[in-house]
Amino acid sequence: MPLPLLSLMLVVFSLTTGEFVIAGILPDVAADLSVSVAAAGLLVTAYAVGMIVGGPIITIATARLARKPLIVGLVAVAVLANLGSAVAPNYAVLLITRGAAGLVVATFFAVAIATAVSTAPPDRQSAAVAKVALGMNLGIILGTPIGTLIGQSFGWRATFATVGAFAAVAVLMVLRFVPVLPVLPVRATGPVLPELRVFANRDVQLAIALTAVGNVGLVMVFSYIAPLLTDVAGFADGAVPILLLVYGVGAVIGNFLGGWLADKSLLPSVAGLLGCLAAALAVMWAVGADAPSVAASTFVIGVFGFAIIPGMQTRVMASASAAPTLAIAVNASGFQLAAAFAGWLGGRVGDSALGLRSIYLVGALLTFAGLAIAVYMVHRDRRPALTV
């Protein structure tokens, strides 16, 4: 892999790990800071809110900056925020630092992908994007279980310190190997208003809604996966990193499967996969106390949960073609809307009379709501053809 792309991929790996690793150390954070698991789940919400707010605003505000110093500045904020999380003296400070860590991530992803395209030959641009995006998959399949293992062995603060240190090393590689590049293309640096008008487009609104609603059920389950595995299924703490690895393997397989299906039939494939995901989450609720069945189901929801993402990304990019710079950030914001709501709702459900196990069932129902949106979009796309 060319060193510029490797540098960007390693940054993506570290930021993705920083986002998802909280799922594996949630009980440890709650116990150490003397807060409930539901309150600790709001750390997921704080990070997501940071991405939702920071994605569109920072992307537009920094559109005229040269890309290399912009990348370095964005990653520097993420490094400081993760190190701040490692030394946070109390829950309130940790909540703030998680929000700060999320502020710059959506913009970084957008700029990193644009940079990868710029540094690749015309016939290798898609491959360049795939190499950078590989960091996201590796962050889930390797970074999250490794970060969880570090947290269980040395304390949860060590996890955030490691994420910050790794991102710092990666950004040094960016400084060394990524060439100096100009600002983004002219279309991306024009007036702000035309960029923002994309949000008034009904297709864009539906695409964002599909991303947000379609993902919220799975994100809620993943946010509370550690207590679900230990307190409900009866696994030992040491099994959590292994099962997160199982989930990550499923996610990588699902990513390739979803991309292949989306190329065949975009929205119908997303609808079908959402139906499969809803069914898989319902099965997890039914077998939630049976450890072997939960282990197998963890792999299955990893497959279907990530198989829906390529089609959703493609739909957002196509719908938001009038604002290419914002398209990736908008999609990330849609996903983080799901994460923000999921972190809060999962805590409420787990603390209710329904119990922690019911998170699976609520997740299935929310995924079914995403399926309803996908079916409506399929019907909407076909309607003009029916009226000709």
Side-chain angles (χ1 to χ4, degrees):
M1 181 183 295
L3 288 175
L5 296 183
L6 177 63
S7 304
L8 294 171
M9 187 270 284
L10 290 176
V11 176
V12 171
F13 168 80
S14 62
L15 297 186
T16 302
T17 300
E19 176 180 2
F20 286 100
V21 75
I22 189 67
I25 59 175
L26 201 64
D28 303 298
V29 174
D32 188 56
L33 297 180
S34 300
V35 299
S36 67
V37 171
L42 291 177
L43 297 170
V44 178
T45 299
Y47 191 100
V49 169
M51 284 192 69
I52 293 165
V53 173
I57 294 175
I58 295 178
T59 300
I60 292 174
T62 60
R64 295 182 184 274
L65 299 180
R67 277 175 277 175
K68 185 172 180 176
L70 174 58
I71 288 173
V72 173
L74 293 171
V75 179
V77 171
V79 168
L80 291 174
N82 278 289
L83 295 179
S85 296
V87 299
N90 53 50
Y91 172 74
V93 174
L94 182 59
L95 204 64
I96 293 170
T97 58
R98 297 321 296 152
L103 275 174
V104 298
V105 174
T107 301
F108 168 78
F109 285 164
V111 177
I113 289 175
T115 301
V117 169
S118 299
T119 58
D123 60 342
R124 299 293 297 166
Q125 291 180 346
S126 295
V129 171
K131 289 174 182 175
V132 173
L134 177 63
M136 298 181 190
N137 287 332
L138 291 178
I140 295 167
I141 192 173
L142 291 178
T144 299
I146 290 173
T148 299
L149 186 60
I150 289 172
Q152 291 179 346
S153 302
F154 304 103
W156 63 268
R157 295 179 185 277
T159 297
F160 289 124
T162 302
V163 169
F166 195 94
V169 172
V171 82
L172 290 177
M173 292 182 63
V174 170
L175 279 170
R176 173 65 179 85
F177 297 115
V178 173
V180 175
L181 295 166
V183 297
L184 295 171
V186 174
R187 285 184 66 194
T189 58
V192 171
L193 185 58
E195 293 275 320
L196 293 178
R197 282 180 183 154
V198 72
F199 293 106
N201 184 297
R202 183 63 172 168
D203 287 334
V204 173
Q205 293 170 359
L206 285 169
I208 295 172
L210 178 63
T211 296
V213 179
N215 281 287
V216 68
L218 178 67
V219 175
M220 183 172 65
V221 169
F222 186 79
S223 298
Y224 292 89
I225 193 70
L228 284 168
L229 293 173
T230 56
D231 297 350
V232 178
F235 285 102
D237 290 343
V240 174
I242 297 172
L243 290 169
L244 286 174
L245 180 61
V246 169
Y247 177 90
V249 171
V252 172
I253 294 172
N255 188 54
F256 286 107
L257 173 66
W260 180 77
L261 290 173
D263 285 339
K264 300 292 184 182
S265 182
L266 182 56
L267 280 177
S269 72
V270 172
L273 290 167
L274 282 168
C276 292
L277 177 59
L281 291 172
V283 168
M284 287 197 83
W285 169 73
V287 303
D290 182 69
S293 298
V294 169
S297 297
T298 299
F299 172 79
V300 173
I301 65 168
V303 172
F304 289 126
F306 276 74
I308 64 177
I309 292 176
M312 289 178 174
Q313 289 177 329
T314 301
R315 181 69 178 194
V316 171
M317 291 288 288
S319 301
S321 58
T325 309
L326 278 179
I328 300 169
V330 165
N331 192 43
S333 294
F335 183 86
Q336 295 306 321
L337 281 170
F341 182 63
W344 173 84
L345 180 62
R348 304 290 78 75
V349 173
D351 278 353
S352 72
L354 295 172
L356 195 62
R357 180 172 172 175
S358 61
I359 287 177
Y360 291 127
L361 184 58
V362 175
L365 294 173
L366 290 169
T367 304
F368 187 80
L371 170 60
I373 294 174
V375 170
Y376 171 75
M377 292 172 70
V378 170
H379 173 73
R380 177 182 168 87
D381 282 0
R382 289 175 178 173
R383 190 169 51 193
L386 296 176
T387 57
V388 173

